[in-house]
Amino acid sequence: MSATILGSGIAGISAGYHLNKKGVRNIIYEKDADWGGLCGHFVIDGFLFDRFVHLSFATDENDQKLFSSSVGMQEHIPFPSNYYQGIWLRHPAQNNLAPLKTEEKVNIITDFINRSQKEVSEISDYSEWLKVQYGNYFAEHFPFAYTRKYWGVEAKELETKWVGVRMYTPDLKQVLEGSYETQDECFYFAKKMYYPKQGGFRSIMALCRDGLDIRFNKKVVKIDPLQKTLLFSDGKIEFYEQLISTLPLPEIIKMLSTVPKEVLEATKRLRHTCGYQVSLGFNRPDVAKHLWFYIYDEDILSARVYSPSLKSPNNAPAGCSSLQAEIFFDNKSEILPPEIVLKNTIDNLIKLEIFKEEDIVVKDIRFEPYANVTFVHTIYEDREIILDYLRALDISSIGRFGKWEYQWSHQAFNDGKQL
Ligand SMILES: Cc1cc2nc3c(=O)[nH]c(=O)nc-3n(C[C@H](O)[C@H](O)[C@H](O)COP(=O)(O)OP(=O)(O)OC[C@H]3O[C@@H](n4cnc5c(N)ncnc54)[C@H](O)[C@@H]3O)c2cc1C
């Protein structure tokens, strides 16, 4: 028996590694010239930038050991920050209202006390969930705005099962304490995060990648599940026995012919975000003050900014530092051109006095067509229709976009292992 794996992101690498351990021959086909997928990186003039933020908070002890035996890890305590209308607040903002003006604090706390006491289990709409958890004023000024920036949609368009531990829900005591004094406690859902000292985020997979047969620049364009063949963009055809795909569901559906109407319609209803990364290198060591921070103001396109050089000093040349900003769009909305996004990001970060134009030595913008799966109300039925169809064709679909889930890297890794 042999397996063919599509995609060399962490899900594909994990599938290949675990199949090798079982003695199952496998080949990975990757459209890019390098491995790692979204966990990969690029280097410009000695500055290493991951493809989006990427810190590891794997929970499984064996996975942690495997990742840290691949590369030395640097530990980080996540103390992100928030920028809101000229004010910096520690994260999560709802527990750290202290720097806000009195009038705004009174509005937030009054609405928090008077919020509806509905059972969270009865709520299926994210906008209602936010109002019930935080009160109307906070919901409207903070997460509603952030939802438009991060998910590219209104909160009411989202369901709530994805939220899980991602949003901290304080009690009145915590809200009051945080409105007098910024809290020192880390309220982030992961109390510690890890990042490789060398080689960017994908180095956590270095041991797994060793010994894998990855064929690069092999973009699959057509799959024939009856003949069990793959057609590549270079015109070559390959046979497969068992097929494992980590490709986004909308992409794999396009590669199949005679897809039932119901499956095509379900695929059309899937929503996801696309994202730009604005990567900046500086000729000073001290530009980055926060490992990452969120921006709530909607005239600033960036939703989140983080520092590759704080993740590891080896991500920048000696005496330098770096930042990377993320800007997201819903796949069905208008996506602004890169030059506008780049200018908006740099101009605003200069206005925030984070750096000066003359500090910049590297300036880059790149686009990722798939960033986050969007949890619109129809997601669960639609993705089941598509996955059922792929199962019927004997195609195993795994990973963040192959399962169409909100997976972190260790979860995508686990997908490959489980399979
Ligand atoms: C903004 C953002 C921030 C994140 N931050 C974190 C974080 O801090 N910590 C964390 O653990 N996780 C984080 N993640 C999640 C993490 O990136 C994913 O869970 C993980 O990378 C998914 O891996 P994958 O293998 O499933 O998919 P991918 O990495 O997308 O791999 C799919 C692979 O398939 C290849 N491919 C696509 N089409 C074809 C084709 N036609 N033919 C051949 N190959 C093809 C692609 O090039 C790619 O290599 C973040 C994600 C985003 C978007």
Side-chain angles (χ1 to χ4, degrees):
M1 215 254 282
S2 72
T4 296
I5 300 164
L6 308 183
S8 70
I10 192 164
I13 294 285
S14 170
Y17 167 75
H18 289 98
L19 285 169
N20 271 358
K21 278 181 48 158
K22 296 258 175 202
V24 179
R25 271 188 308 121
N26 62 86
I27 295 178
I28 303 180
Y29 291 111
E30 167 58 54
K31 73 170 168 50
D32 291 346
D34 208 348
W35 62 281
L38 267 187
C39 293
H41 62 254
F42 52 96
V43 179
I44 307 172
D45 296 343
F47 288 89
L48 184 150
F49 298 100
D50 290 305
R51 289 165 71 174
F52 294 125
V53 54
H54 289 104
L55 289 143
S56 180
F57 38 97
T59 44
D60 181 280
E61 239 177 70
N62 292 324
D63 292 350
Q64 284 173 355
K65 270 192 206 144
L66 181 63
F67 296 159
S68 58
S69 52
S70 288
V71 62
M73 295 283 228
Q74 180 159 338
E75 183 181 296
H76 291 284
I77 309 289
F79 273 128
S81 202
N82 295 289
Y83 179 82
Y84 169 74
Q85 297 185 5
I87 295 170
W88 289 92
L89 305 124
R90 183 171 271 189
H91 198 72
Q94 60 270 27
N95 298 29
N96 288 293
L97 304 173
L100 293 180
K101 291 191 191 91
T102 305
E103 190 191 346
E104 200 146 38
K105 284 196 247 190
V106 170
N107 285 336
I108 292 173
I109 297 169
T110 311
D111 275 9
F112 182 77
I113 292 168
N114 295 331
R115 72 197 192 281
S116 154
Q117 293 301 317
K118 203 167 172 180
E119 276 296 316
V120 169
S121 56
E122 288 169 28
I123 301 171
S124 59
D125 173 318
Y126 185 48
S127 68
E128 193 182 2
W129 188 96
L130 290 168
K131 286 181 177 173
V132 167
Q133 297 290 3
Y134 305 122
N136 289 2
Y137 190 95
F138 185 84
E140 280 159 15
H141 288 77
F142 285 84
F144 277 20
Y146 197 73
T147 301
R148 285 189 284 274
K149 295 183 71 175
Y150 191 80
W151 298 102
V153 294
E154 293 294 333
K156 65 176 184 319
E157 293 177 72
L158 301 180
E159 63 82 57
T160 55
K161 286 196 223 40
W162 62 275
V163 181
V165 294
R166 290 179 174 89
M167 302 284 287
Y168 190 78
T169 50
D171 56 26
L172 181 59
K173 184 169 172 285
Q174 286 171 325
V175 172
L176 288 175
E177 280 168 354
S179 71
Y180 288 102
E181 281 169 20
T182 291
Q183 301 298 292
D184 287 332
E185 193 182 331
C186 167
F187 292 99
Y188 204 70
F189 57 83
K191 302 295 174 218
K192 284 181 183 169
M193 297 181 135
Y194 296 89
Y195 186 81
K197 288 184 180 157
Q198 307 276 351
F201 187 74
R202 75 171 186 186
S203 305
I204 62 169
M205 294 179 271
L207 277 181
C208 302
R209 189 256 177 267
D210 276 355
L212 292 181
D213 181 357
I214 310 178
R215 315 276 168 96
F216 294 109
N217 302 311
K218 294 293 283 183
K219 180 175 180 183
V220 189
V221 290
K222 219 164 181 40
I223 302 173
D224 183 339
L226 289 178
Q227 302 298 322
K228 295 206 161 200
T229 57
L230 303 171
L231 172 68
F232 294 90
S233 57
D234 58 10
K236 303 251 167 60
I237 292 178
E238 299 287 350
F239 286 92
Y240 66 83
E241 267 185 68
Q242 288 291 313
L243 190 62
I244 299 167
S245 169
T246 69
L247 311 190
L249 293 181
E251 300 302 317
I252 194 165
I253 290 300
K254 275 191 241 158
M255 295 173 192
L256 297 159
S257 45
T258 63
V259 177
K261 194 166 166 244
E262 187 201 17
V263 177
L264 289 176
E265 279 170 2
T267 310
K268 263 195 233 148
R269 282 190 297 267
L270 294 181
R271 297 277 281 274
H272 63 93
T273 57
C274 326
Y276 283 107
Q277 301 146 33
V278 170
S279 306
L280 301 169
F282 305 99
N283 57 12
R284 284 172 33 200
D286 54 352
V287 164
K289 303 285 184 292
H290 310 279
L291 189 56
W292 79 88
F293 60 91
Y294 303 94
I295 304 177
Y296 291 84
D297 301 12
E298 291 183 74
D299 54 332
I300 305 177
L301 294 172
S302 316
R304 186 163 61 179
V305 179
Y306 44 93
S307 171
S309 59
L310 284 184
K311 287 198 292 184
S312 165
N314 292 318
N315 284 343
C320 296
S321 54
S322 55
L323 291 176
Q324 201 175 38
E326 298 170 334
I327 303 93
F328 299 104
F329 294 91
D330 170 51
N331 68 309
K332 292 198 196 293
S333 71
E334 184 203 352
I335 295 167
L336 292 176
E339 53 288 358
I340 291 185
V341 175
L342 184 66
K343 185 169 167 18
N344 178 288
T345 302
I346 293 179
D347 288 355
N348 279 302
L349 293 177
I350 290 174
K351 257 196 229 153
L352 263 58
E353 297 183 354
I354 293 178
F355 54 80
K356 298 195 180 80
E357 183 81 51
E358 58 268 29
D359 301 330
I360 304 174
V361 287
V362 163
K363 195 192 286 189
D364 182 78
I365 180 160
R366 309 186 173 210
F367 184 73
E368 297 286 353
Y370 289 89
N372 279 296
V373 164
T374 308
F375 285 78
V376 287
H377 294 278
T378 49
I379 182 175
Y380 301 108
E381 298 131 62
D382 287 336
R383 85 176 171 198
E384 218 28 55
I385 292 171
I386 303 162
L387 289 171
D388 267 351
Y389 175 64
L390 293 178
R391 278 189 283 269
L393 299 177
D394 204 16
I395 298 173
S396 306
S397 187
I398 61 165
R400 184 180 177 94
F401 306 110
K403 277 217 181 137
W404 210 251
E405 284 177 350
Y406 196 152
Q407 290 186 345
W408 284 305
S409 61
H410 55 274
Q411 294 166 315
F413 182 83
N414 193 48
D415 248 18
K417 176 161 58 170
Q418 292 300 324
L419 184 84

